[in-house]
Amino acid sequence: MSEMVVPDGWETKTLGTVSNIVMGQSPSSSTYNTVRDGLPFLQGKQDFGNHYPTIRIWCSHPIKIASSGSILFTVRAPVGDVNIATTECCIGRGLASISGTTSDQNYLYQLINFIKPQFQLIAQGTTFEAINSSDLKTFSVLIPPLPEQQKIASILTSVDEVLENTQSQIDKLQDLKKGTMN
């Protein structure tokens, strides 16, 4: 297998050096509620949508907080799924929050989504697969100069929007077909 050629100006860095990573921690279940008291509480993949989470539970005494716009990353069962926080929220132990410090946030989102299989390769566990804080912070990523990050993210975000709109149209047509057949 040939070695990958890295373009000029691109660097291999660790995820922990280009972002702030907050590992989730579950607060006491006595602080959970459905009356919107406190911050939205996200626990893992079960709260994820295509790009943004669905809020089902709130927490009146959050321990670990993800900021609005941060990348929500599943660190166990399964490892590597991503969403974007739409508001400040409490994160449980199935999630980590990733916020770019020296990298474009949208580029990081697209990159992490793309390299998901690599995270799954380092996951360990007998009951369920998981990765820890050290695994996440020391994970190597390829980082282009900031203007290139922004261009890449813009193009890929546009493609995501087209894909979502196309899927929405397909879903509507399938519903129409089912309704017509009934």
Side-chain angles (χ1 to χ4, degrees):
M1 195 176 213
S2 64
E3 195 170 311
M4 184 175 87
V5 177
V6 177
D8 287 340
W10 291 47
E11 298 178 85
T12 300
K13 297 186 176 186
T14 63
L15 193 54
T17 61
V18 298
S19 66
N20 180 43
I21 299 171
V22 176
M23 299 299 285
Q25 182 177 345
S26 295
S28 169
S29 61
S30 66
T31 67
Y32 302 176
N33 67 82
T34 57
V35 295
R36 300 175 183 249
D37 179 24
L39 291 179
F41 177 45
L42 303 171
Q43 301 179 65
K45 171 75 173 162
Q46 71 272 19
D47 297 320
F48 279 15
N50 286 338
H51 294 286
Y52 306 101
T54 300
I55 300 167
R56 304 173 299 124
I57 300 170
W58 283 257
C59 175
S60 59
H61 291 89
I63 297 174
K64 297 289 183 157
I65 297 173
S67 60
S68 180
S70 64
I71 298 164
L72 302 170
F73 180 89
T74 59
V75 295
R76 64 183 203 167
V79 170
D81 285 339
V82 293
N83 260 198
I84 300 170
T86 56
T87 185
E88 185 177 65
C89 56
C90 174
I91 54 173
R93 63 184 178 182
L95 294 176
S97 166
I98 304 171
S99 299
T101 53
T102 61
S103 291
D104 182 80
Q105 187 71 0
N106 293 322
Y107 174 78
L108 280 179
Y109 172 79
Q110 294 292 344
L111 175 65
I112 291 168
N113 224 353
F114 179 71
I115 61 175
K116 175 182 175 177
Q118 294 176 36
F119 286 109
Q120 293 168 337
L121 289 175
I122 63 169
Q124 299 177 15
T126 53
T127 307
F128 52 81
E129 291 189 336
I131 62 173
N132 62 35
S133 175
S134 178
D135 293 333
L136 201 51
K137 290 178 180 177
T138 61
F139 194 86
S140 293
V141 291
L142 194 55
I143 304 293
L146 190 58
E148 285 185 67
Q149 291 177 45
Q150 293 165 336
K151 286 178 188 174
I152 291 167
S154 176
I155 291 166
L156 295 177
T157 299
S158 294
V159 170
D160 283 344
E161 290 170 0
V162 170
L163 289 171
E164 278 186 41
N165 290 335
T166 302
Q167 187 60 54
S168 176
Q169 292 299 318
I170 290 169
D171 292 345
K172 287 177 185 174
L173 289 171
Q174 286 175 335
D175 289 346
L176 176 63
K177 182 178 177 181
K178 286 178 190 173
T180 303
M181 291 304 294
N182 285 334

